[in-house]
Amino acid sequence: MGARLIVTTLNQPVGPGQPQPEQGVTYAGRLTREDGRIDWSRDAAALDRQIRALTPWPGTFTTLDTPLGGQVVKIGGAALVSAPRSAPPGTILDDALTVACGQGALRITHIQRPGRGMMDAGSFLRGQPRQITGLSVQQVLEEAAGRLAAGRPVTSITAGRTDAGVHATGQVAHLDFPMGTGLTGSKVRDALNFHMKPHPVAILQAMPVDSAWNARFSANRRFYRYRIVNRRGRLALDDGRVWLVKRALDIDAMNEAARHLLGRHDFTSFRASACQAKSPLRTLDRLAVMRHGEEITIETDARSFLHHQVRNM
């Protein structure tokens, strides 16, 4: 149909051409990174067009307030939504990352933290520690536990961190319930799972422990598994759960490099700037790279890791 329409149009007589008038002509300047800065006082529709026009390059960005100061994040996608007029521009309105604008609001759908890949907003919000914005695993767990304790606050401690975009399949945590609740392990498991609906968090097993036991400091082993899909084709069913690397990877070279990290070393170069560990010395017991068809798996374990150590390795 399109080809026939083009042929028909070209065969029709065309009138004399007319030059474009100089008056009213505008010129587009060269785009810079600063063009991507989001001003939340602008109309939501205008910001939506800005994000779509400047994605992927030069990209749009904004600053989130965190306990460590302002953190610049890239915005990869957003959707127009309604918002109460009383909310000041830039206010995060709910757990879905809806941000108030000068008029209307934008719900951020894709976001990228420094040093990380672009991720959907749900993955960004589902990290283990309580978030500066939105919902987290810790918040869901503690709010559910509070219902079991007749509304009294219950704190949780986990064996390790799972930041936004990281999935925990065997996380260990302990909850400090007030005395006299009379809860058994099976009741705690079932009740927490009930109260955490519909959030994607599940308690697999629960049992009472001594008051001196601590999920973080009593742990004697921690395991990490990173999954890489090594192919040209885009991700489908595993999107958000694996890292897509299109260039061919040499696992023999990767294993050779990993061998130099085994044992006890000073991992200062691999720790996060916000790491709270007193010593950078850690003993890495295992770091193995395996290929199964298109998927490459990196597995490592040790008694403890520094903040961001595994990710940076």
Side-chain angles (χ1 to χ4, degrees), residues 28-293:
R30 184 176 181 179
L31 291 175
T32 66
R33 184 177 183 275
E34 192 61 27
D35 292 319
R37 183 182 296 276
I38 294 180
D39 179 1
W40 295 108
S41 65
R42 297 179 63 199
D43 182 271
L47 292 178
D48 177 54
R49 292 193 294 269
Q50 178 187 3
I51 293 171
R52 288 188 287 113
L54 300 183
T55 300
W57 190 91
T60 53
F61 64 94
T62 189
T63 302
L64 291 180
D65 291 330
T66 75
L68 300 177
Q71 184 181 78
V72 177
V73 295
K74 294 185 69 174
I75 306 299
L80 287 167
V81 295
S82 59
R85 295 184 178 180
S86 59
T91 302
I92 298 177
L93 303 174
D94 55 30
D95 293 331
L97 273 186
T98 302
V99 184
C101 305
Q103 183 174 351
L106 281 180
R107 177 163 296 159
I108 298 173
T109 59
H110 290 82
I111 189 169
Q112 180 177 357
R113 298 167 60 190
R116 304 291 298 276
M118 188 67 68
M119 65 182 73
D120 62 86
S123 296
F124 176 80
L125 294 172
R126 284 196 292 268
Q128 164 62 34
R130 282 184 175 268
Q131 304 289 342
I132 52 172
T133 61
L135 206 58
S136 69
V137 174
Q138 182 180 5
Q139 181 179 344
V140 170
L141 177 60
E142 291 181 354
E143 289 181 356
R147 295 189 179 187
L148 274 63
R152 287 174 288 181
V154 178
T155 58
S156 66
I157 300 294
T158 58
R161 297 173 56 92
T162 54
D163 294 335
V166 179
H167 304 276
T169 58
Q171 179 67 279
V172 177
H174 80 256
L175 296 164
D176 292 321
F177 284 103
M179 296 293 292
T181 54
L183 295 171
T184 64
S186 59
K187 287 183 178 180
V188 168
R189 178 198 60 204
D190 296 342
L192 287 177
N193 283 331
F194 176 82
H195 289 300
M196 290 192 297
K197 295 177 182 178
H199 303 293
V201 185
I203 305 300
L204 304 180
Q205 186 179 7
M207 63 184 68
V209 293
D210 186 86
S211 59
W213 191 87
N214 184 289
R216 178 182 178 187
F217 298 111
S218 300
N220 53 34
R221 188 67 50 191
R222 291 172 172 86
F223 299 86
Y224 282 87
R225 177 183 294 118
Y226 279 74
R227 297 172 58 204
I228 301 172
V229 170
N230 191 205
R231 70 183 186 206
R232 296 291 303 175
R234 62 189 294 269
L235 297 173
L237 299 180
D238 283 327
D239 189 21
R241 296 182 178 274
V242 300
W243 180 23
L244 176 64
V245 178
K246 295 184 178 181
R247 69 179 186 277
L249 296 177
D250 185 342
I251 65 167
D252 291 333
M254 295 169 70
N255 271 310
E256 176 62 22
R259 185 177 62 83
H260 295 283
L261 296 174
L262 293 175
R264 188 167 180 80
H265 302 286
D266 182 337
F267 285 96
T268 297
S269 299
F270 297 94
R271 71 192 298 187
S273 59
C275 181
Q276 299 176 357
K278 295 181 179 179
S279 171
L281 295 176
R282 289 294 185 272
T283 301
L284 191 63
D285 296 318
R286 180 171 180 263
L287 181 57
V289 185
M290 298 157 285
R291 178 186 283 275
H292 303 281

